[in-house]
Amino acid sequence: MGHVMLALPLIFSAAFVGFVHSLSPGHWLPVVLMVKARKWNHAQAAFGSFVAASGHIFVSVGLGFVGLVIGKSFFGPHLHEVEENAGYILIAFGVLYAIYSRFNHRHCHGHEHHGPDPRSAGKAPYVFLFSLGFSPCFAVLPVFATAIGAGTAILAGSMAAFALGVLAALMGGS
């Protein structure tokens, strides 16, 4: 019964996080700029929004599945201890990610972007938008981590709700 009571708050939380997080300019502004620069019509703008959202959803949901596999395979008998130390684990992960990000971009000079040139023709603008969205939503990962302990169905529902939230935010204005 406890897992069922946890389902709705987790699903709504995932949708809310996906929607609100995707309203930050780093998610929608590249799409708007691409639409303006390339003078895309409504259908192209909607598809560009969908592509950018897809990258974000793919990576975030993929990390949720990785968490599921790791959680069940390695930490299954120790889930109580993991839950007790979840805050410390998140802090350690954040510090390691910050260090990685700092040293990974050390070779950058100026304000250059990695990936395909968005000015080139064909599929390149869409590949560029997908690559911009190809980063995880760290805000939803604690929701997914909690859902893992509540069961696979609740995790799947949370992931679907997150995807709908991201799509609603990014495609709502196109």
Side-chain angles (χ1 to χ4, degrees), residues 23-46:
L23 291 177
S24 69
H27 290 71
W28 58 264
L29 187 58
V31 177
V32 170
L33 294 174
M34 185 68 70
V35 168
K36 297 286 185 191
R38 309 223 12 116
K39 296 180 173 74
W40 282 349
N41 62 33
H42 183 70
Q44 290 170 309

Side-chain angles (χ1 to χ4, degrees), residues 127-146:
V127 172
F128 176 73
L129 289 175
F130 182 81
S131 69
L132 286 177
F134 203 71
S135 63
C137 173
F138 289 108
V140 79
L141 295 180
V143 176
F144 289 167
T146 305

